[in-house]
């Protein structure tokens, strides 16, 4: 791991924490969802300890408008802290987001060049939750990952960015592929069997949820890994 030198940064975004480390900046604290047990944790993405963050006197706090609450970001700004929001909506947004983060911490930008996009392959649905079953609209980061891999999202016109649905409704859409990521809902083999009972003619794949939803330094390799299983 990089030496803890440079600006004092608190990251409330798991993807940003991983990317900061790749940039050579060790955050002084992060969330418990960042999967960095050697770093101090200051709560979760939705319930950070604002007082503890302020007490750390960071030079920068990194947030994301989907993963973090506006009221927490506002409280940090009101406390006089510098807050940087990085919120990619697509794989095309990753390079600018990483460049923004690198600039904010005074580090050279790292290579996030994407592998070539695949030709169209069919319709894919990625679930993000169960009870109720929830998927994602085409303008989400996870959907853009699948689009880069050649998969079309049938929920492009959904009102909600993460619409609720059910397996009967999904069967009517006749997707070619159903993706079950390991997070935010921890889909397992038993859930794959459940989907296959409702959609016996559809290919159902379990994938690494971090590769599907975490952006940043991981994106190029994540796309390559997902391409091998989807």
């Amino acid at each position: 791991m990089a030496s803890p030198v440079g600006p004092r940064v608190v990251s409330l975004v798991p993807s940003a924490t991983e990317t900061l480390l790749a940039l050579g900046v060790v955050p002084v604290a992060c969330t418990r969802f960042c999967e960095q047990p050697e770093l101090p944790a200051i709560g979760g993405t939705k319930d950070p300890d604002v007082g503890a963050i302020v007490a750390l006197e960071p030079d920068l706090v990194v947030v994301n408008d989907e993963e973090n609450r506006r009221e927490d970001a506002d409280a940090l700004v009101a406390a006089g802290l510098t807050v940087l929001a990085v919120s990619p909506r697509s794989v095309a947004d990753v390079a600018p987001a990483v460049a923004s983060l690198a600039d904010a911490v005074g580090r050279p930008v790292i290579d996030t060049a994407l592998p070539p996009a695949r030709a169209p392959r069919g319709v894919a649905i990625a679930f993000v939750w169960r009870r109720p079953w929830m998927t994602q609209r085409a303008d989400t980061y996870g959907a853009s990952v699948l689009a880069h891999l050649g998969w079309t999202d049938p929920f492009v016109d959904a009102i909600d960015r993460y619409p609720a649905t059910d397996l009967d409704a999904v069967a009517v859409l006749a997707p070619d592929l159903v993706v079950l990521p390991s997070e935010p809902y921890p889909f397992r083999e038993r859930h794959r069997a459940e989907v296959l009972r409702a959609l016996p003619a559809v290919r159902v794949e379990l994938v690494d949820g971090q590769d599907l939803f975490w952006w940043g330094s991981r994106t190029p390799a994540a796309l390559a890994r997902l391409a091998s299983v989807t």
Side-chain angles (χ1 to χ4, degrees):
M1 176 174 291
S3 174
V5 296
R8 294 175 58 79
V9 182
V10 171
S11 173
L12 302 184
V13 188
S15 301
T17 302
E18 184 177 65
T19 302
L20 284 164
L21 292 170
L23 288 166
V25 174
V26 180
V28 295
C30 61
T31 77
R32 62 178 178 270
F33 299 114
C34 292
E35 298 194 1
Q36 301 293 337
E38 70 281 9
L39 297 180
I42 35 72
T45 53
K46 303 295 186 187
D47 58 348
D49 187 333
V50 172
I53 296 171
V54 174
L56 287 170
E57 299 183 346
D59 302 303
L60 181 71
V61 181
V62 183
V63 301
N64 176 286
D65 67 5
E66 282 199 317
E67 298 187 61
N68 307 125
R69 302 186 308 169
R70 178 64 180 268
E71 53 263 43
D72 293 323
D74 288 346
L76 293 167
V77 171
L81 300 183
T82 300
V83 175
L84 174 68
V86 281
S87 306
R89 291 289 190 266
S90 72
V91 293
D93 295 335
V94 170
V98 172
S100 173
L101 191 58
D103 181 67
V105 297
R107 290 292 189 272
V109 70
I110 56 178
D111 183 15
T112 53
L114 305 177
R118 281 180 157 185
R121 306 176 65 203
V123 173
I125 292 173
F127 284 115
V128 299
W129 205 255
R130 178 175 173 271
R131 295 183 178 176
W133 291 94
M134 296 178 70
T135 183
Q136 54 188 351
R137 201 169 64 190
D139 63 344
T140 58
Y141 179 78
S144 81
V145 168
L146 291 176
H148 193 84
L149 299 175
W151 298 104
T152 299
D153 189 320
F155 286 88
V156 63
D157 295 322
I159 295 174
D160 298 321
R161 297 192 73 232
Y162 297 96
T165 185
D166 56 56
L167 295 180
D168 289 338
V170 169
V172 172
L173 295 172
D176 301 286
L177 173 69
V178 169
V179 174
L180 300 179
S182 57
E183 62 173 65
Y185 187 92
F187 286 106
R188 299 290 185 265
E189 185 60 40
R190 65 182 181 276
H191 304 119
R192 180 175 180 273
E194 180 182 1
V195 175
L196 282 171
R197 285 193 294 272
L199 292 84
V202 175
R203 182 158 67 96
V204 182
E205 298 289 349
L206 294 164
V207 306
D208 185 339
Q210 292 182 4
D211 279 350
L212 186 59
F213 299 120
W214 288 29
W215 54 266
S217 57
R218 118 177 354 246
T219 299
L223 287 169
R225 286 189 292 267
L226 289 168
S228 71
V229 295
T230 63

